[in-house]
Amino acid sequence: MKKKTHSKKIISAKKKDGDILDKMNSFFEKHEKTCLLISLAAGAVISILLFDCKVSLSGDDCDYIMNAQEFIRRFTYPGGRGALYPIAISPFLAGGLNLILLKSLSAVFIILSMWLMYKSFRGKVPASVLMPTLLIANICPYIFFYACHTYSEPFFMLTQSLFIYLFSRYFWNGEQTASVPLKTGWKKFLLLGLCFLAMGLTRTVGYAVMGAVIVYFCLRKQWKNLLYSFVASGLVFVLFSIIKKTVWPESGAAYSINNYLARNYYNVGQGMEDLPGFINRLIENSHVYLSGFLYKFMGFRSSADLPLGSMPILTVITYILFFIGIMAIYKKNTPLLFAGVYVGIMNFASFILLQSMWAQDRLIMIYYPLILLFLLGGMYYLLKGGRFGKFSWIYPVLLVSVFVGTGVHLKAKVENNLPVLQQNLAGNDLYGLTPDWENFIKMSRWANDNLDKDAVIISRKPSISYVYTGRRFGGFFNVPHVEIDEIIARGQEEKARYVFIAAELKNTNLAALAPFSEYAFVARNNSDKFSINGKSIKVAMVYKVDKTLFNDDLINLLETDGVNYTLDYDAFLKQYAEDNSASYQTVSPDLLLKIIRDSRAKYLLLPKIRIYPPQNTGQFVNTIHQYISFIQFKYPNTFRIIHTIGKDEACELAEYTGE
């Protein structure tokens, strides 16, 4: 009797320590289905309230639509990023382009991913962790912003949740360390391999899931599971590669790993990143995505659309919380351990591979529900009994804080979106766009309606022009440059026949020298490291003049107009050749003209798309403008403006005359 009494006292004491958490568990277990329905219903309602009838201004979502249409019409393998997503939505384009339907699919993908998350962790993690996580995630406006855009993120969340659901069924086996027998479990490993491939084909970083599998099985000492999973995933990947090469021999690789390993993703020629560079990426991306976006998602930082300044202290706190969470749940909850390992590996891979300049919230949004689950789970087990049991009240306070903060952000986003949504549904489909984008889309429509149907029209955002017109546009996405080594080599070959004049370009247009224009050197990022005669220059033109035509009249012309110039071509080029920071670009008017002719371009859209989207600063993306200006400099009257739409931030339409 004494022994029993003593035992009851111990149990009672433990119960008292965890009283708040026990009551919360009892409540959420009792109302689990109600909470689930409320969560999913909230997600559905918020998807409607935050719905945007327009495409995103990046154009990435339009690219997916175009790739899906090419697949369903011509069975063309989707190029670029995320091939599986366009394939998945392609059946919905069989009857034509219905933008609202395609956008709505993203909401379905997200809500299904939430449901699978519930199925994966139900009964395996405390209800007071799982259900609040679902409630908070389903009111997060930063998740459901993507519920109305045809980005690959919602579909990735679905493939991710499917992978975790299957993994939860097959490998979350309590404290057992025995591996699944291959003879009876080969299908499980095959399905795991298919999920591995699906995640990688949706987003490149998805392949990093194998790292999470490896770490988890090593921690669980399930060596055979590790071997079988690795082999099955490898076989699935090789088999798919063979099929792809056989069916779509010209598809090529969707990406090159070298781009991610390079210092500059868009210019591999600048060399590969070194170890200090990768460490710097990890640090910078940690600040951007953890101290910035993660705490913004949780409602602890501003809801402003502008990139938030990094707060290193928050980054450090987050890493500390992560490792404390791992220690708190290591031997207590296998599913939460896997969630922590998974989000840790996936984010680590992202922070190492991704350029810090991208800084897009969607790169961490796809993991946010799992990050939240893991962090709340770690806090729960840290405060459940033991030395910290008396602080268990912190847990409900934290839940309320995150819920309220998320709700405040949601309220602001809904209030901003509703007037726009109402106008869009009333027929004003461009309402909510800034004038630069509105004029661009209007010009795309005008060009489609008024120009020859067979004419090639060049657009800075051809996929957006296509979605709003149904017509294929050509695209110029950058101004091709000539390598400095090539310029130097050509100069050495031609200096016996030609004289090279390097002159600063300001407002002076030397018509007499224009036909001799060879290269333009344009300083980037307000660089002031380049000079002529000791004077800093921003833009210089190199003229190549046949020695038989070079005379004192040309020199007098330069002197009379006060042009800053030099005939020391080698010294001029040397300063650019010695620059390793890519702070300039070299443009050839003849190369640009060749591209115009090779593309059979007849018309070019000239929008003034803002560099700084929230405000008209006068600076705009001038890619196509550069084509025309440099060609016109050497060959006047090659283009003429035939139509203009808008007064502020107008969009012009140029015709290539071929003269």
Side-chain angles (χ1 to χ4, degrees):
M1 291 293 293
K2 289 183 180 180
K3 189 174 182 180
K4 276 189 175 182
T5 303
H6 180 63
S7 176
K8 284 182 180 178
K9 287 182 179 179
I10 293 175
I11 294 172
S12 177
K14 289 184 178 180
K15 178 99 172 170
K16 185 177 181 180
D17 286 341
D19 190 47
I20 296 177
L21 300 182
D22 290 334
K23 288 181 178 179
M24 290 180 65
N25 268 326
S26 298
F27 174 82
F28 283 111
E29 285 173 0
K30 182 178 180 181
H31 302 285
E32 183 178 283
K33 290 185 178 180
T34 301
C35 289
L36 176 65
L37 290 175
I38 292 174
S39 298
L40 299 183
V45 171
I46 292 169
S47 298
I48 297 173
L49 295 177
L50 293 179
F51 197 84
D52 188 349
C53 299
K54 304 177 294 298
V55 298
S56 76
L57 302 182
S58 71
D60 289 359
D61 50 348
C62 299
D63 291 335
Y64 288 123
I65 293 174
M66 294 179 70
N67 288 339
Q69 204 155 56
E70 284 296 300
F71 182 81
I72 196 67
R73 288 180 176 177
R74 301 177 179 85
F75 200 53
T76 302
Y77 185 81
R81 307 173 301 277
L84 185 58
Y85 173 59
I87 293 174
I89 65 172
S90 62
F92 299 93
L93 283 161
L97 174 58
N98 186 326
L99 189 58
I100 301 300
L101 172 62
L102 293 178
K103 284 171 164 286
S104 300
L105 289 176
S106 294
V108 174
F109 294 150
I110 290 178
I111 292 172
L112 282 176
S113 75
M114 297 291 186
W115 177 73
L116 280 175
M117 181 177 171
Y118 164 76
K119 296 286 288 184
S120 300
F121 292 96
R122 177 177 180 265
K124 300 180 178 69
V125 302
S128 58
V129 173
L130 177 59
M131 303 319 296
T133 296
L134 289 173
L135 284 166
I136 292 169
N138 276 285
I139 65 168
C140 178
Y142 305 103
I143 291 178
F144 286 93
F145 169 83
Y146 293 98
C148 66
H149 288 293
T150 53
Y151 283 104
S152 64
E153 278 74 16
F155 187 72
F156 179 83
M157 292 179 70
L158 181 58
T159 61
Q160 170 181 260
S161 291
L162 180 60
F163 164 79
I164 293 175
Y165 172 69
L166 293 176
F167 203 88
S168 71
R169 292 186 59 191
Y170 302 152
F171 304 109
W172 288 348
N173 51 4
E175 296 303 316
Q176 300 176 17
T177 58
S179 296
V180 176
L182 183 61
K183 185 175 181 180
T184 57
W186 63 271
K187 292 182 180 178
K188 298 176 181 179
F189 296 106
L190 182 61
L191 286 173
L192 195 69
L194 288 172
C195 283
F196 162 77
L197 179 64
M199 291 177 67
L201 289 178
T202 304
R203 291 186 63 81
T204 304
V205 74
Y207 288 121
V209 69
M210 184 50 63
V213 172
I214 291 172
V215 171
Y216 174 79
F217 282 143
C218 286
L219 290 174
R220 303 289 295 151
K221 299 179 181 180
Q222 296 177 358
W223 311 116
K224 289 184 179 180
N225 279 350
L226 172 59
L227 176 63
Y228 299 155
S229 299
F230 190 80
V231 171
S233 298
L235 288 175
V236 169
F237 183 83
V238 170
L239 180 60
F240 167 77
S241 298
I242 294 172
I243 294 173
K244 179 186 172 187
K245 189 173 183 180
T246 303
V247 179
W248 299 286
E250 298 180 357
S251 61
Y255 69 96
S256 172
I257 188 63
N258 288 336
N259 291 85
Y260 291 99
L261 301 179
R263 288 192 178 95
N264 186 334
Y265 180 90
Y266 303 103
N267 186 0
V268 180
Q270 292 183 24
M272 295 295 106
E273 190 69 89
D274 54 14
L275 180 59
F278 283 117
I279 293 175
N280 188 58
R281 278 193 202 180
L282 176 62
I283 294 172
E284 289 186 0
N285 281 326
S286 294
H287 291 326
V288 169
Y289 293 102
L290 297 182
S291 74
F293 291 130
L294 179 58
Y295 284 88
K296 180 177 178 177
F297 291 172
M298 292 190 289
F300 294 145
R301 295 200 65 184
S302 169
S303 63
D305 291 330
L306 300 177
L308 298 174
S310 63
M311 296 181 65
I313 185 63
L314 285 182
T315 305
V316 173
I317 289 174
T318 305
Y319 275 114
I320 292 174
L321 288 175
F322 175 81
F323 288 111
I324 289 177
I326 289 290
M327 291 187 290
I329 55 91
Y330 181 69
K331 292 184 178 180
K332 297 179 180 178
N333 194 293
T334 300
L336 280 177
L337 175 64
F338 179 79
V341 168
Y342 175 80
V343 297
I345 293 293
M346 298 300 282
N347 280 291
F348 178 79
S350 297
F351 296 170
I352 289 290
L353 291 176
L354 299 178
Q355 301 282 341
S356 57
M357 64 179 178
W358 288 337
Q360 299 178 29
D361 66 353
R362 54 180 169 152
L363 300 179
I364 193 174
M365 179 277 294
I366 51 182
Y367 310 118
Y368 177 57
L370 291 169
I371 293 174
L372 189 61
L373 179 77
F374 170 73
L375 290 177
L376 291 178
M379 184 66 68
Y380 173 89
Y381 279 105
L382 184 66
L383 300 175
K384 184 79 168 92
R387 68 179 71 176
F388 298 110
K390 59 184 177 180
F391 299 108
S392 59
W393 56 269
I394 293 177
Y395 185 74
V397 171
L398 177 63
L399 288 183
V400 172
S401 299
V402 177
F403 187 86
V404 171
T406 304
V408 170
H409 282 213
L410 173 64
K411 179 176 180 291
K413 296 297 182 183
V414 169
E415 288 178 348
N416 288 335
N417 189 66
L418 275 181
V420 178
L421 178 60
Q422 290 170 348
Q423 288 290 328
N424 292 160
L425 294 177
N428 187 356
D429 63 338
L430 302 185
Y431 185 85
L433 293 175
T434 50
D436 53 335
W437 283 105
E438 184 176 355
N439 293 332
F440 165 67
I441 294 172
K442 286 181 177 179
M443 182 61 82
S444 298
R445 288 173 168 172
W446 188 93
N448 174 62
D449 296 338
N450 294 277
L451 301 179
D452 184 354
K453 295 299 180 183
D454 295 325
V456 176
I457 308 172
I458 301 300
S459 171
R460 180 65 178 83
K461 293 285 186 178
S463 57
I464 294 181
S465 295
Y466 168 75
V467 168
Y468 280 103
T469 65
R471 174 176 180 150
R472 295 278 173 172
F473 285 69
F476 288 166
F477 307 105
N478 55 59
V479 179
H481 67 279
V482 184
E483 295 291 344
I484 188 65
D485 292 341
E486 181 182 344
I487 293 175
I488 292 174
R490 286 184 182 179
Q492 293 298 318
E493 293 175 359
E494 298 175 336
K495 67 180 180 180
R497 180 181 174 185
Y498 297 98
V499 173
F500 292 91
I501 305 171
E504 180 181 9
L505 280 187
K506 283 189 173 180
N507 298 323
T508 305
N509 183 4
L510 301 174
L513 282 177
F516 305 111
S517 304
E518 189 71 4
Y519 304 110
F521 286 73
V522 183
R524 292 173 171 162
N525 303 323
N526 297 318
S527 175
D528 58 358
K529 62 176 63 177
F530 309 112
S531 64
I532 295 177
N533 297 321
K535 182 180 178 182
S536 177
I537 58 172
K538 300 300 182 185
V539 183
M541 179 64 75
V542 171
Y543 302 95
K544 186 174 73 173
V545 184
D546 193 294
K547 286 186 174 181
T548 61
L549 300 176
F550 184 75
N551 53 45
D552 291 339
D553 291 338
L554 284 178
I555 297 298
N556 290 334
L557 177 65
L558 294 170
E559 297 287 353
T560 302
D561 287 347
V563 177
N564 183 23
Y565 75 96
T566 181
L567 297 179
D568 192 348
Y569 190 45
D570 291 338
F572 172 78
L573 294 180
K574 183 180 179 181
Q575 60 184 330
Y576 293 95
E578 293 178 347
D579 178 72
N580 296 317
S581 59
S583 56
Y584 68 94
Q585 66 178 137
T586 47
V587 181
S588 166
D590 289 300
L591 174 60
L592 300 183
L593 182 59
K594 183 179 184 300
I595 293 173
I596 293 285
R597 289 171 174 169
D598 290 347
S599 66
R600 296 174 40 250
K602 181 62 177 175
Y603 302 97
L604 301 92
L605 303 185
L606 299 174
K608 294 184 177 179
I609 304 300
R610 300 175 183 177
I611 290 180
Y612 180 63
Q615 184 179 348
N616 179 13
T617 62
Q619 295 181 310
F620 57 89
V621 179
N622 62 353
T623 302
I624 301 180
H625 293 78
Q626 287 190 57
Y627 273 79
I628 290 180
S629 63
F630 285 121
I631 293 172
Q632 286 277 89
F633 186 86
K634 184 171 184 178
Y635 305 105
N637 304 319
T638 305
F639 301 93
R640 66 188 182 97
I641 303 299
I642 63 172
H643 192 64
T644 302
I645 291 180
K647 293 182 179 180
D648 296 327
E649 301 173 283
C651 181
E652 297 175 318
L653 179 66
E655 179 184 18
Y656 170 58
T657 64
E659 297 180 7

